[in-house]
Each structure stands twice: as structure tokens, then as C-alpha cells.
Amino acid sequence: QLQLVESGGDLVQPGGSLRLSCAVSGLSLNEYSIGWFRQAPGKEREGVSCISSSDGSTYYEDAVKGRFTISRDIAKSTVYLQMNSLEPEDTAVYYCAAEAGRDINMKNMCLAIQRNYEYDFWGRGTQVTVSS
């Protein structure tokens, strides 16, 4: 059964850290690029970071550069998002999405959400709340 399951969301104080996981089943990380997206209350969903199926290349949204790190463990079929120096503005539901293809530009993959692009598969999300 094909599914993406996010976990790791929590309530954390500003300056804290969290690691989100996106466990995938029914598809291979060698064939599907994975993106992390987030949606804050009252805002559009936005691309945070994406990692390529072909070479592991990555893209980060400017707001998270230097604070977030995306990685993948192909053997565990899991993609991670390490989030450091969290800010209240990072509060959102975080989703992972999968897109087939080995030659996708990761910036394009992450930004396509702005054009209401329909990714192949989505998880159900995990809540991250940054508050003191």
C-alpha cells in the first residue's frame, strides 16, 4: 500500500529543534523525489525543502536556509527534515509529498506548489508549533 506518513511534530520553544520524518511505503526514494511543504493558518501551502531521487540534490526556501536540513535514508525509506533555531513563524502543519521522475529540478519541484501543481502523493501532515 502506497503511503507517506509524517511524524515528529511537536510544541517547541523558540530557538529549539525538531526532526520531522516522512516514512514512505509502496514507492522507492530512488524513483521519487520528496518535498517538505508547510501550511500556516490562513496562508497558502509553501515549499520548504525538496530532495532529488536521482542524486540527492536539495533546495531550501530562503526563510529556512541555514536552519533546516533535508536528508534521506533510502534503506529506511524515510526522508527527514532537521529543523534548528525554530521561530514562531515556522508554526504550521508540515506535509511531505512525492513526485516521480529522476531529472526534476528541486527548486522547480518546491515552487510548483505556487501554481497549484498536483504532486503524485501527499502525506496527512504533522503539526509544528513554536511558542513560548
Side-chain angles (χ1 to χ4, degrees), residues 96-116:
C96 58
E99 181 70 9
R102 292 178 55 81
D103 297 313
I104 303 172
N105 176 280
M106 287 301 96
K107 179 178 180 179
N108 291 342
M109 178 176 172
C110 266
L111 296 184
I113 189 75
Q114 299 175 7
R115 305 190 305 274
N116 296 316

PDB file of all heavy atoms in Angstrom, residues 96-116:
ATOM      1  N   CYS A  96       4.722  16.075   3.686  1.00  0.00           N
ATOM      2  CA  CYS A  96       5.665  15.644   2.668  1.00  0.00           C
ATOM      3  C   CYS A  96       4.875  15.183   1.447  1.00  0.00           C
ATOM      4  O   CYS A  96       3.724  14.731   1.562  1.00  0.00           O
ATOM      5  CB  CYS A  96       6.607  14.562   3.151  1.00  0.00           C
ATOM      6  SG  CYS A  96       5.864  13.035   3.758  1.00  0.00           S
ATOM      7  N   ALA A  97       5.500  15.332   0.301  1.00  0.00           N
ATOM      8  CA  ALA A  97       4.885  14.960  -0.967  1.00  0.00           C
ATOM      9  C   ALA A  97       5.916  14.267  -1.839  1.00  0.00           C
ATOM     10  O   ALA A  97       7.119  14.557  -1.754  1.00  0.00           O
ATOM     11  CB  ALA A  97       4.340  16.186  -1.683  1.00  0.00           C
ATOM     12  N   ALA A  98       5.452  13.361  -2.665  1.00  0.00           N
ATOM     13  CA  ALA A  98       6.325  12.603  -3.561  1.00  0.00           C
ATOM     14  C   ALA A  98       5.995  12.914  -5.007  1.00  0.00           C
ATOM     15  O   ALA A  98       4.824  13.067  -5.374  1.00  0.00           O
ATOM     16  CB  ALA A  98       6.166  11.108  -3.299  1.00  0.00           C
ATOM     17  N   GLU A  99       7.043  13.002  -5.802  1.00  0.00           N
ATOM     18  CA  GLU A  99       6.883  13.276  -7.227  1.00  0.00           C
ATOM     19  C   GLU A  99       7.809  12.339  -8.002  1.00  0.00           C
ATOM     20  O   GLU A  99       9.016  12.297  -7.754  1.00  0.00           O
ATOM     21  CB  GLU A  99       7.222  14.733  -7.531  1.00  0.00           C
ATOM     22  CG  GLU A  99       7.065  15.133  -8.985  1.00  0.00           C
ATOM     23  CD  GLU A  99       5.606  15.178  -9.427  1.00  0.00           C
ATOM     24  OE1 GLU A  99       4.693  15.066  -8.580  1.00  0.00           O
ATOM     25  OE2 GLU A  99       5.381  15.330 -10.648  1.00  0.00           O
ATOM     26  N   ALA A 100       7.249  11.598  -8.940  1.00  0.00           N
ATOM     27  CA  ALA A 100       8.034  10.646  -9.727  1.00  0.00           C
ATOM     28  C   ALA A 100       8.931  11.366 -10.717  1.00  0.00           C
ATOM     29  O   ALA A 100       8.614  12.436 -11.206  1.00  0.00           O
ATOM     30  CB  ALA A 100       7.100   9.699 -10.467  1.00  0.00           C
ATOM     31  N   GLY A 101      10.076  10.726 -11.009  1.00  0.00           N
ATOM     32  CA  GLY A 101      10.973  11.289 -12.011  1.00  0.00           C
ATOM     33  C   GLY A 101      12.354  11.495 -11.427  1.00  0.00           C
ATOM     34  O   GLY A 101      12.490  11.877 -10.263  1.00  0.00           O
ATOM     35  N   ARG A 102      13.395  11.265 -12.244  1.00  0.00           N
ATOM     36  CA  ARG A 102      14.760  11.347 -11.756  1.00  0.00           C
ATOM     37  C   ARG A 102      15.502  12.570 -12.251  1.00  0.00           C
ATOM     38  O   ARG A 102      16.645  12.778 -11.898  1.00  0.00           O
ATOM     39  CB  ARG A 102      15.522  10.085 -12.156  1.00  0.00           C
ATOM     40  CG  ARG A 102      15.024   8.838 -11.438  1.00  0.00           C
ATOM     41  CD  ARG A 102      15.773   7.604 -11.886  1.00  0.00           C
ATOM     42  NE  ARG A 102      17.212   7.746 -11.733  1.00  0.00           N
ATOM     43  CZ  ARG A 102      17.859   7.573 -10.584  1.00  0.00           C
ATOM     44  NH1 ARG A 102      17.196   7.284  -9.490  1.00  0.00           N
ATOM     45  NH2 ARG A 102      19.172   7.690 -10.532  1.00  0.00           N
ATOM     46  N   ASP A 103      14.871  13.386 -13.030  1.00  0.00           N
ATOM     47  CA  ASP A 103      15.563  14.561 -13.565  1.00  0.00           C
ATOM     48  C   ASP A 103      14.809  15.844 -13.242  1.00  0.00           C
ATOM     49  O   ASP A 103      14.806  16.783 -14.027  1.00  0.00           O
ATOM     50  CB  ASP A 103      15.740  14.423 -15.072  1.00  0.00           C
ATOM     51  CG  ASP A 103      16.625  13.240 -15.434  1.00  0.00           C
ATOM     52  OD1 ASP A 103      17.695  13.098 -14.811  1.00  0.00           O
ATOM     53  OD2 ASP A 103      16.246  12.452 -16.325  1.00  0.00           O
ATOM     54  N   ILE A 104      14.210  15.876 -12.099  1.00  0.00           N
ATOM     55  CA  ILE A 104      13.427  17.047 -11.696  1.00  0.00           C
ATOM     56  C   ILE A 104      14.335  18.037 -10.980  1.00  0.00           C
ATOM     57  O   ILE A 104      15.101  17.652 -10.096  1.00  0.00           O
ATOM     58  CB  ILE A 104      12.277  16.640 -10.754  1.00  0.00           C
ATOM     59  CG1 ILE A 104      11.379  15.593 -11.422  1.00  0.00           C
ATOM     60  CG2 ILE A 104      11.451  17.858 -10.363  1.00  0.00           C
ATOM     61  CD1 ILE A 104      10.345  15.006 -10.491  1.00  0.00           C
ATOM     62  N   ASN A 105      14.256  19.290 -11.363  1.00  0.00           N
ATOM     63  CA  ASN A 105      14.967  20.337 -10.636  1.00  0.00           C
ATOM     64  C   ASN A 105      14.273  20.565  -9.306  1.00  0.00           C
ATOM     65  O   ASN A 105      13.055  20.773  -9.259  1.00  0.00           O
ATOM     66  CB  ASN A 105      14.966  21.609 -11.486  1.00  0.00           C
ATOM     67  CG  ASN A 105      15.600  22.775 -10.758  1.00  0.00           C
ATOM     68  OD1 ASN A 105      14.971  23.412  -9.928  1.00  0.00           O
ATOM     69  ND2 ASN A 105      16.854  23.055 -11.082  1.00  0.00           N
ATOM     70  N   MET A 106      15.013  20.524  -8.207  1.00  0.00           N
ATOM     71  CA  MET A 106      14.386  20.579  -6.893  1.00  0.00           C
ATOM     72  C   MET A 106      13.774  21.946  -6.579  1.00  0.00           C
ATOM     73  O   MET A 106      12.776  22.042  -5.862  1.00  0.00           O
ATOM     74  CB  MET A 106      15.385  20.178  -5.817  1.00  0.00           C
ATOM     75  CG  MET A 106      15.682  18.675  -5.821  1.00  0.00           C
ATOM     76  SD  MET A 106      14.183  17.682  -5.567  1.00  0.00           S
ATOM     77  CE  MET A 106      13.733  17.276  -7.262  1.00  0.00           C
ATOM     78  N   LYS A 107      14.364  23.001  -7.090  1.00  0.00           N
ATOM     79  CA  LYS A 107      13.751  24.323  -6.897  1.00  0.00           C
ATOM     80  C   LYS A 107      12.390  24.344  -7.597  1.00  0.00           C
ATOM     81  O   LYS A 107      11.393  24.804  -7.031  1.00  0.00           O
ATOM     82  CB  LYS A 107      14.648  25.423  -7.454  1.00  0.00           C
ATOM     83  CG  LYS A 107      14.052  26.818  -7.298  1.00  0.00           C
ATOM     84  CD  LYS A 107      15.004  27.880  -7.822  1.00  0.00           C
ATOM     85  CE  LYS A 107      14.410  29.276  -7.657  1.00  0.00           C
ATOM     86  NZ  LYS A 107      15.328  30.335  -8.147  1.00  0.00           N
ATOM     87  N   ASN A 108      12.344  23.821  -8.797  1.00  0.00           N
ATOM     88  CA  ASN A 108      11.075  23.787  -9.518  1.00  0.00           C
ATOM     89  C   ASN A 108      10.047  22.946  -8.787  1.00  0.00           C
ATOM     90  O   ASN A 108       8.862  23.279  -8.744  1.00  0.00           O
ATOM     91  CB  ASN A 108      11.292  23.252 -10.936  1.00  0.00           C
ATOM     92  CG  ASN A 108      12.068  24.214 -11.816  1.00  0.00           C
ATOM     93  OD1 ASN A 108      12.165  25.397 -11.515  1.00  0.00           O
ATOM     94  ND2 ASN A 108      12.633  23.707 -12.885  1.00  0.00           N
ATOM     95  N   MET A 109      10.514  21.826  -8.225  1.00  0.00           N
ATOM     96  CA  MET A 109       9.582  20.955  -7.512  1.00  0.00           C
ATOM     97  C   MET A 109       8.974  21.693  -6.308  1.00  0.00           C
ATOM     98  O   MET A 109       7.776  21.639  -6.085  1.00  0.00           O
ATOM     99  CB  MET A 109      10.269  19.687  -7.031  1.00  0.00           C
ATOM    100  CG  MET A 109       9.340  18.777  -6.229  1.00  0.00           C
ATOM    101  SD  MET A 109      10.108  17.226  -5.753  1.00  0.00           S
ATOM    102  CE  MET A 109       8.844  16.557  -4.664  1.00  0.00           C
ATOM    103  N   CYS A 110       9.805  22.372  -5.556  1.00  0.00           N
ATOM    104  CA  CYS A 110       9.320  23.053  -4.366  1.00  0.00           C
ATOM    105  C   CYS A 110       8.433  24.250  -4.711  1.00  0.00           C
ATOM    106  O   CYS A 110       7.490  24.538  -3.982  1.00  0.00           O
ATOM    107  CB  CYS A 110      10.505  23.523  -3.515  1.00  0.00           C
ATOM    108  SG  CYS A 110      10.981  22.370  -2.211  1.00  0.00           S
ATOM    109  N   LEU A 111       8.742  24.935  -5.769  1.00  0.00           N
ATOM    110  CA  LEU A 111       7.997  26.147  -6.114  1.00  0.00           C
ATOM    111  C   LEU A 111       6.731  25.862  -6.910  1.00  0.00           C
ATOM    112  O   LEU A 111       5.866  26.738  -7.024  1.00  0.00           O
ATOM    113  CB  LEU A 111       8.891  27.113  -6.893  1.00  0.00           C
ATOM    114  CG  LEU A 111      10.098  27.665  -6.138  1.00  0.00           C
ATOM    115  CD1 LEU A 111      10.837  28.690  -6.992  1.00  0.00           C
ATOM    116  CD2 LEU A 111       9.676  28.292  -4.821  1.00  0.00           C
ATOM    117  N   ALA A 112       6.609  24.661  -7.441  1.00  0.00           N
ATOM    118  CA  ALA A 112       5.438  24.336  -8.257  1.00  0.00           C
ATOM    119  C   ALA A 112       4.143  24.429  -7.468  1.00  0.00           C
ATOM    120  O   ALA A 112       3.069  24.624  -8.046  1.00  0.00           O
ATOM    121  CB  ALA A 112       5.599  22.944  -8.856  1.00  0.00           C
ATOM    122  N   ILE A 113       4.237  24.313  -6.146  1.00  0.00           N
ATOM    123  CA  ILE A 113       3.045  24.423  -5.302  1.00  0.00           C
ATOM    124  C   ILE A 113       2.362  25.770  -5.505  1.00  0.00           C
ATOM    125  O   ILE A 113       1.148  25.892  -5.365  1.00  0.00           O
ATOM    126  CB  ILE A 113       3.424  24.208  -3.818  1.00  0.00           C
ATOM    127  CG1 ILE A 113       2.183  24.092  -2.946  1.00  0.00           C
ATOM    128  CG2 ILE A 113       4.316  25.338  -3.316  1.00  0.00           C
ATOM    129  CD1 ILE A 113       1.469  22.777  -3.065  1.00  0.00           C
ATOM    130  N   GLN A 114       3.143  26.769  -5.880  1.00  0.00           N
ATOM    131  CA  GLN A 114       2.581  28.105  -6.091  1.00  0.00           C
ATOM    132  C   GLN A 114       1.656  28.149  -7.301  1.00  0.00           C
ATOM    133  O   GLN A 114       0.843  29.071  -7.429  1.00  0.00           O
ATOM    134  CB  GLN A 114       3.714  29.116  -6.255  1.00  0.00           C
ATOM    135  CG  GLN A 114       4.617  29.219  -5.047  1.00  0.00           C
ATOM    136  CD  GLN A 114       5.802  30.134  -5.277  1.00  0.00           C
ATOM    137  OE1 GLN A 114       5.910  30.808  -6.290  1.00  0.00           O
ATOM    138  NE2 GLN A 114       6.711  30.162  -4.325  1.00  0.00           N
ATOM    139  N   ARG A 115       1.810  27.180  -8.191  1.00  0.00           N
ATOM    140  CA  ARG A 115       0.968  27.108  -9.397  1.00  0.00           C
ATOM    141  C   ARG A 115      -0.103  26.025  -9.230  1.00  0.00           C
ATOM    142  O   ARG A 115      -0.672  25.560 -10.216  1.00  0.00           O
ATOM    143  CB  ARG A 115       1.820  26.803 -10.624  1.00  0.00           C
ATOM    144  CG  ARG A 115       2.965  27.771 -10.839  1.00  0.00           C
ATOM    145  CD  ARG A 115       3.601  27.548 -12.204  1.00  0.00           C
ATOM    146  NE  ARG A 115       4.025  26.168 -12.396  1.00  0.00           N
ATOM    147  CZ  ARG A 115       5.201  25.683 -12.018  1.00  0.00           C
ATOM    148  NH1 ARG A 115       6.062  26.462 -11.396  1.00  0.00           N
ATOM    149  NH2 ARG A 115       5.526  24.423 -12.252  1.00  0.00           N
ATOM    150  N   ASN A 116      -0.322  25.636  -7.956  1.00  0.00           N
ATOM    151  CA  ASN A 116      -1.320  24.597  -7.668  1.00  0.00           C
ATOM    152  C   ASN A 116      -1.008  23.292  -8.389  1.00  0.00           C
ATOM    153  O   ASN A 116      -1.925  22.571  -8.795  1.00  0.00           O
ATOM    154  CB  ASN A 116      -2.728  25.075  -8.049  1.00  0.00           C
ATOM    155  CG  ASN A 116      -3.168  26.253  -7.206  1.00  0.00           C
ATOM    156  OD1 ASN A 116      -2.984  26.272  -5.995  1.00  0.00           O
ATOM    157  ND2 ASN A 116      -3.739  27.259  -7.848  1.00  0.00           N
TER     158      ASN A 116
END
